[in-house]
Amino acid sequence: MSRYALLLAPSANRVYADQAARLATAELAAFGPVLSSGLDDIGVTTLGGVEYLVFDGSLSERDIAYLSNLSSAYALFERLDGELLRPLTLSPLARYDSDLITIPKYAGKTNEQFTKLVLNLTLLASGSAGRMLDGHLTVLDPLAGRGTTLNQALMYGYDAVGIEIDGKDVEAYKLFLQTWLKRKRLKHTAELVPVRRQGKRAARRLEVTLAASKDDHKAGAVQKLVVLQADTTQLDGLLRGGVADVLVADLPYGVAHGSYDDNGGISRRPLDLLERAVPQWLPLLRDGAAIGLSWNTKVARRELAEDILLANGLELVPQLPLSHRVDQGIERDVLIARLT
């Protein structure tokens, strides 16, 4: 068994960076079950004045490929004689340039590193964990905003489905993605079309196909992205069932974010939204799917969110603590559950 040291990536968000080591420890532990020999003795240490995440294991090439996608991974070393560090080559799932994730800037955008962490935890809790590196998976974000989670899914080479009620956000995402794809000279199609239900226009649907290279496009190795402009609590007849392997959602924080209530007004209570939305989301998931949620615990207690998921027949997935302060009004937490 060898000893390893993981150098954590610097974060653009100062508050998040202050807690990165603790969150990375929880994320690394979640990777353990998919590795060939698991991980032992995970901890944090300082080497040469720099903080590292350290652990024991016997990493195969595929194991290293898995850990290359740790949201905070910057460099991985094998420790020799307790003092020397031998660098190991990381091979993350990154089909596109990182500016697909980093360029969009807007009020309320979730930290990209945190978005990747929640997606990873959800994937690892799902029945698709063994296909994370090589499977053609589909990620659903039913509260898509301007597409941070959708872009991370595309980076991984997956298909993506988003639902967003705000037409301006859907149009802004379409404009960004089309502009980015054109600038990168990547083959793609993008179309915003109306969706009808019972003969009446019920929504709009952004449909995008793209490929990471000309060779992929010629070979038919394309990715598909769908963003539905619709109310996530009223999806009947708008999407076919069983479309997604994982669902990742960032619930309204109750500060700058909100959601529409039954009377068409803005609600700042994320649990009201969750209670109405989960029954609409579950039919969209495939067998073995998992759900990953993040939200502000200052406006919604964790046990109440858990009760909603349990009441809908989901199984909670144990995890190390992930609650962390974002700012004065937001204490963010993560909850993972899967279909039973």
Side-chain angles (χ1 to χ4, degrees):
M1 184 171 290
S2 300
R3 187 71 169 159
Y4 299 92
L6 182 73
L7 180 62
L8 302 181
S11 174
N13 183 297
R14 180 187 59 80
V15 175
Y16 185 86
D18 290 344
Q19 304 171 85
R22 179 174 61 84
L23 298 177
T25 298
E27 185 182 5
L28 180 61
F31 273 93
V34 300
L35 305 182
S36 57
S37 60
L39 300 174
D40 292 313
D41 200 16
I42 300 173
V44 179
T45 192
T46 300
L47 302 173
V50 178
E51 193 172 65
Y52 289 81
L53 198 60
V54 293
F55 57 93
D56 292 338
S58 298
L59 299 182
S60 66
E61 185 176 341
R62 185 172 176 84
D63 293 338
I64 294 173
Y66 266 109
L67 295 184
S68 298
N69 298 292
L70 196 80
S71 67
S72 55
Y74 191 65
L76 179 64
F77 303 90
E78 183 180 5
R79 298 180 68 181
L80 305 175
D81 301 324
E83 296 182 357
L84 304 179
L85 297 178
R86 182 173 72 90
L88 301 174
T89 301
L90 296 178
S91 55
L93 291 168
R95 291 180 63 85
Y96 303 97
D97 294 338
S98 62
D99 57 2
L100 173 62
I101 301 288
T102 58
I103 283 180
K105 304 292 182 186
Y106 50 89
K109 180 183 179 181
T110 305
N111 176 279
E112 301 98 345
Q113 191 172 317
F114 177 74
T115 297
K116 187 175 181 180
L117 179 146
V118 179
L119 177 56
N120 283 345
L121 291 175
T122 311
L123 281 167
L124 293 166
S126 75
S128 303
R131 297 190 292 126
M132 179 178 177
L133 299 180
D134 44 24
H136 197 71
L137 306 179
T138 300
V139 175
L140 168 65
D141 182 353
L143 300 167
R146 295 195 185 182
T148 303
T149 298
L150 304 179
N151 288 345
Q152 182 58 60
L154 295 178
M155 285 288 287
Y156 273 0
Y158 303 157
D159 290 344
V161 178
I163 302 164
E164 173 53 47
I165 196 170
D166 192 328
K168 291 182 179 179
D169 280 347
V170 174
E171 290 167 2
Y173 181 56
K174 176 180 182 291
L175 177 62
F176 161 73
L177 190 57
Q178 278 190 290
T179 301
W180 187 88
L181 289 167
K182 289 177 181 177
R183 185 166 58 83
K184 297 293 181 177
R185 300 182 182 276
L186 296 175
K187 289 280 190 179
H188 68 279
T189 63
E191 189 177 12
L192 191 58
V193 299
V195 176
R196 296 188 176 276
R197 180 170 53 189
Q198 297 178 347
K200 297 180 180 179
R201 177 171 167 170
R204 290 193 299 172
R205 181 184 178 101
L206 172 62
E207 300 177 349
V208 181
T209 62
L210 65 158
S213 68
K214 291 182 179 179
D215 289 341
D216 282 350
H217 188 266
K218 288 180 181 178
V222 298
Q223 293 170 253
K224 296 181 180 180
L225 166 73
V226 171
V227 181
L228 191 68
Q229 183 197 333
D231 186 338
T232 195
T233 67
Q234 300 179 32
L235 298 176
D236 187 39
L238 296 180
L239 285 170
R240 65 181 177 83
V243 298
D245 300 285
V246 295
L247 181 155
V248 176
D250 200 21
L251 296 175
Y253 288 171
V255 182
H257 298 68
S259 60
Y260 289 100
D261 59 25
D262 290 334
N263 298 318
I266 292 292
S267 169
R268 305 294 182 184
R269 297 185 296 273
L271 295 185
D272 291 349
L273 170 65
L274 188 64
E275 192 167 27
R276 289 182 290 126
V278 170
Q280 296 287 313
W281 296 347
L282 292 182
L284 305 179
L285 302 180
R286 295 172 181 155
D287 292 343
I291 291 177
L293 304 175
S294 61
W295 79 102
N296 181 13
T297 59
K298 286 185 177 291
V299 296
R301 287 164 33 210
R302 181 184 181 90
E303 57 267 28
L304 296 180
E306 291 177 342
D307 287 346
I308 292 172
L309 298 184
L310 290 170
N312 282 277
L314 291 157
E315 172 191 10
L316 302 180
V317 176
Q319 62 199 43
L320 294 177
L322 288 161
S323 178
H324 61 284
R325 179 180 178 274
V326 176
D327 59 30
Q328 187 175 358
I330 299 175
E331 182 80 18
R332 188 164 54 195
D333 203 357
V334 178
L335 183 59
I336 308 295
R338 60 187 161 219
L339 296 182
T340 56

